[in-house]
Amino acid sequence: MTPDDTTAPGGTTAGPGDTTTGPGDTTTGPGDTTAAPGGPATPGLIPAPRALTRGAPGAEPFRLDAATVLDAAPGTEGVARLLRATVGAATGAPLADGTGSTGGPGASRVVLALDEALAPEAYGLVVAADAVRITGGTPAGLLHGAQTFRQLLGPDAFRRAPLAPGRVREVPAVEIADEPRFGWRGMLLDVCRHFLPKDDVLRYLDLLSAHKLNVFHFHLNDDQGWRVEIKRHPRLTEVGAWRSRTRYGHRDSDLWDETPHGGYYTQDDIREIVAYAAERHIRVVPEIDIPGHAQAAIAAYPELGNTDVVDTAALTVWDSWGINPNVLAPTENTLRFYEGVLEEILELFPAETSPFVHIGGDECPKDQWKQSPLAQARITELGLKDEEELQSWFIRHFDTWLSARGRRLIGWDEILEGGLAEGAAVSSWRGYAGGIAAAEAGHDVVMCPEQQVYLDHRQDGGPDEPMPIGYVRTLEDVYRFEPVPPGLSEEAVRHILGTQANVWTEVMQNRARVDYQVFPRLAAFAEVAWSVLPAPADRDFTGFAARMTDHYARLDALGVDYRRPGGPLPWQRRPGVLGRPIEGAPPVV
């Protein structure tokens, strides 16, 4: 899944969605910044809600101050805690428990409740002078409503401490009814090519939640590093988590960073990350990549590689980028080893938070298997046709293994080659074609085509973009991405679980570089994943860009080092570092 290793095209196509407005909506559209007559303007909301109705002219706004109380019905306690930790901390309002009481004289209220009549992630938000009432179909929906309320409070509500303690904050009268288009709204974060400390991962979970994204795909192993502690195989982190140096820029660059690089998450770190995600109703999809992208594991345990072809004992954790030829040997020892790894992974990522486990299956060169007498004997023993079916045998084995333990396997679209295991889901990254084939065959699909939503691709064609990789994918390009391609049968459309933006970190050495590549485009992606939008060509990007004016202020308050509309700031540039730009618009496949 490395964008500098493929030019497989994909493209933007029209989808079936159209815009909706709420009954009685008196504005030019949900999420806009037009002021209602006689009242303050509503901040631009991102993602745009399905239906927004402004208050009557002259309606009094809600006022949040130190006397405001929080009335949390049973089942809403977790969202109440998050509101106090975010809005309470940012405004200085203690949001004292007002459940069952009237509060002080004239005290305003924030009321949280569940409503089983709503869809699971749907919410309702009613802002009146005396109270803000947020209802959700589940606590997840309620949290989405709370995030909208936070946006309505203004950008200072995204800070960690109040700028003006004691200040009264006004929210205009408004009524919102909202729910997501897709159930899978995700982002992949690659922490293997460049490691991000635990606190940076927790921060990204907060950023996903603020954008109503609900899936965190956690890429935990690759040729360049193994990032999760496995107690029965300690050398995976003792050896596999560290490389002696790192190529700086694209794989053809002649620049090197000679500083040893690495790191890993202890099992308690992982438990903390998973619990933090669960509090924010974010599912975590751990990825343990097999049978390719395995050099870090083979460097730690040489017997996992094709020892009859290469001297695996001489391998080290890879310090460069590209598609690596060193893949796992198709032996019973390899199967038992990874079963042991996955047993610990399943314990760290419980089914409630992680029903899916990603096993990669991508970019697995077959050259070593073709040269290996052991691999060829395995093909004959299993009655397989070729090396493609040998890879399918790997995938099917772990599909059966995971299914027996109540989990679902998901893999990159290469797992279609050689025959796909029944029940397996597909991440369609090389374009739409793999996802289309999988959906029509009855498999669930997450659409994440490289040329549209790989956020390591460059954002502009100008000379100042740092380490430019891939096609130009501007904020507008991402906003016009459509996850559901035309022509799918009705049954196949039902197999599109949703969509995901992928963040591969070969050219992102730290959090600031990740921020620059991810934002503001993740805001556009979040609206595509959440909101019901017109066909791509008909989308109101001008209106979205206007709402982004408010959203940039939120990102500033959150400390996000995003790409400014005018281009990179001086310290965001990387002059003279080789990239791999691809010119022209990506074709549709």
Side-chain angles (χ1 to χ4, degrees):
M1 279 45 9
T2 328
D4 68 340
D5 298 328
T6 179
T7 57
T12 303
T13 54
D18 58 24
T19 47
T20 58
T21 54
D25 192 352
T26 58
T27 72
T28 55
D32 71 20
T33 55
T34 305
T42 302
L45 299 177
I46 290 179
R50 289 207 177 197
L52 181 153
T53 306
R54 300 186 184 282
E60 288 292 315
F62 173 82
R63 293 177 172 85
L64 179 75
D65 56 28
T68 302
V69 296
L70 182 58
D71 186 341
T76 70
E77 296 85 358
V79 176
R81 284 194 300 272
L82 287 174
L83 265 179
R84 290 189 177 103
T86 53
V87 169
T91 62
L95 296 175
D97 184 10
T99 306
S101 70
T102 59
S108 59
R109 311 174 70 80
V110 177
V111 181
L112 306 179
L114 299 177
D115 182 354
E116 293 182 355
L118 295 174
E121 288 196 275
Y123 70 90
L125 174 63
V126 179
V127 179
D130 62 333
V132 170
R133 290 177 171 81
I134 309 173
T135 55
T138 62
L142 188 70
L143 179 59
H144 299 321
Q147 293 287 15
T148 298
F149 173 54
R150 191 181 179 196
Q151 290 194 17
L152 291 172
L153 282 165
D156 289 355
F158 289 82
R159 294 187 180 274
R160 295 187 182 184
L163 301 185
R167 173 183 149 209
V168 176
R169 288 164 173 80
E170 292 189 349
V171 180
V174 69
E175 182 171 349
I176 294 172
D178 199 10
E179 64 179 286
R181 178 185 179 192
F182 291 110
W184 186 302
R185 308 179 304 280
M187 189 190 89
L188 174 146
L189 184 61
D190 165 24
V191 295
C192 299
R193 277 48 179 267
H194 281 99
F195 180 68
L196 285 177
K198 178 196 67 179
D199 284 354
D200 289 345
V201 175
L202 298 178
R203 173 178 176 267
Y204 257 87
L205 291 172
D206 282 331
L207 291 170
L208 296 186
S209 177
H211 290 82
K212 298 184 174 68
L213 298 174
N214 69 343
V215 175
F216 177 59
H217 182 158
F218 205 6
H219 184 71
L220 288 168
N221 77 293
D222 217 298
D223 300 300
Q224 295 86 1
W226 187 284
R227 302 293 179 228
V228 55
E229 177 187 26
I230 302 297
K231 291 187 180 296
R232 73 188 68 186
H233 301 306
R235 287 177 58 83
L236 286 173
T237 47
E238 291 171 358
V239 174
W242 309 93
R243 58 180 184 260
S244 61
R245 64 175 188 167
T246 301
R247 191 178 293 279
Y248 193 63
H250 180 255
R251 67 177 181 269
D252 291 333
S253 168
D254 59 1
L255 300 177
W256 293 88
D257 182 344
E258 299 290 345
T259 306
H261 180 85
Y264 66 92
Y265 309 103
T266 68
Q267 294 204 348
D268 282 346
D269 290 339
I270 294 291
R271 292 186 181 99
E272 180 183 357
I273 290 167
V274 170
Y276 199 84
E279 287 179 345
R280 287 147 185 79
H281 303 283
I282 294 172
R283 286 175 285 161
V284 182
V285 180
E287 180 177 357
I288 300 297
D289 209 338
I290 55 174
H293 289 284
Q295 182 158 320
I298 297 169
Y301 293 93
E303 65 272 19
L304 295 174
N306 294 284
T307 57
D308 56 347
V309 176
V310 295
D311 179 10
T312 57
L315 295 177
T316 60
V317 177
W318 206 21
D319 56 13
S320 190
W321 321 124
I323 299 177
N324 190 294
N326 294 298
V327 303
L328 296 174
T331 65
E332 290 298 319
N333 176 68
T334 299
L335 297 182
R336 300 293 87 75
F337 184 96
Y338 276 87
E339 287 171 359
V341 168
L342 289 170
E343 282 178 5
E344 295 192 29
I345 291 294
L346 296 191
E347 191 274 326
L348 295 172
F349 297 88
E352 297 77 20
T353 303
S354 304
F356 285 90
V357 175
H358 207 291
I359 49 70
D362 64 296
E363 296 178 331
C364 178
K366 310 300 189 295
D367 296 341
Q368 289 184 359
W369 289 348
K370 290 177 180 177
Q371 299 167 23
S372 165
L374 186 151
Q376 293 302 309
R378 193 66 152 166
I379 290 172
T380 300
E381 173 193 345
L382 296 170
L384 305 177
K385 182 174 65 177
D386 54 19
E387 292 77 19
E388 298 292 346
E389 289 195 356
L390 185 60
Q391 176 166 333
S392 179
W393 167 79
F394 258 108
I395 305 305
R396 288 175 181 273
H397 175 87
F398 286 104
D399 178 68
T400 301
W401 191 92
L402 288 166
S403 296
R405 289 155 181 81
R407 307 297 180 96
R408 290 191 63 189
L409 180 146
I410 185 168
W412 302 110
D413 55 53
E414 285 97 328
I415 69 173
L416 290 163
E417 299 164 4
L420 182 57
E422 185 177 354
V426 170
S427 302
S428 187
W429 77 276
R430 292 181 294 179
Y432 290 97
I436 291 169
E440 293 289 2
H443 294 278
D444 289 340
V445 172
V446 176
M447 283 292 188
C448 50
E450 175 196 349
Q451 297 80 5
Q452 306 305 320
V453 288
Y454 268 39
L455 299 185
D456 30 357
H457 280 224
R458 59 196 171 129
Q459 302 181 66
D460 188 86
D464 291 333
E465 291 304 307
M467 301 185 190
I469 299 293
Y471 295 102
V472 172
R473 293 289 88 191
T474 65
L475 182 67
E476 182 172 357
D477 290 330
V478 174
Y479 191 65
R480 297 191 189 281
F481 164 62
E482 172 51 47
V484 180
L488 285 182
S489 66
E490 287 187 23
E491 178 61 27
V493 169
R494 285 193 284 271
H495 284 289
I496 305 297
L497 299 177
T499 184
Q500 179 172 293
N502 293 342
V503 181
W504 302 100
T505 60
E506 288 92 337
V507 297
M508 302 180 213
Q509 298 81 21
N510 51 45
R511 187 180 87 176
R513 279 288 291 122
V514 174
D515 279 2
Y516 179 88
Q517 292 299 132
V518 171
F519 288 100
R521 292 183 294 180
L522 193 70
F525 174 81
E527 184 148 312
V528 168
W530 177 278
S531 305
V532 178
L533 299 173
D538 299 328
R539 292 179 187 172
D540 180 14
F541 179 73
T542 300
F544 173 79
R547 285 185 282 120
M548 280 299 297
T549 300
D550 287 320
H551 203 64
Y552 286 127
R554 297 179 193 124
L555 296 178
D556 286 332
L558 286 164
V560 176
D561 202 10
Y562 59 91
R563 182 190 189 276
R564 270 59 179 174
L569 298 170
W571 58 86
Q572 293 172 324
R573 301 168 187 161
R574 298 292 186 275
V577 181
L578 187 66
R580 183 174 177 263
I582 305 174
E583 300 303 330
V588 177
V589 293

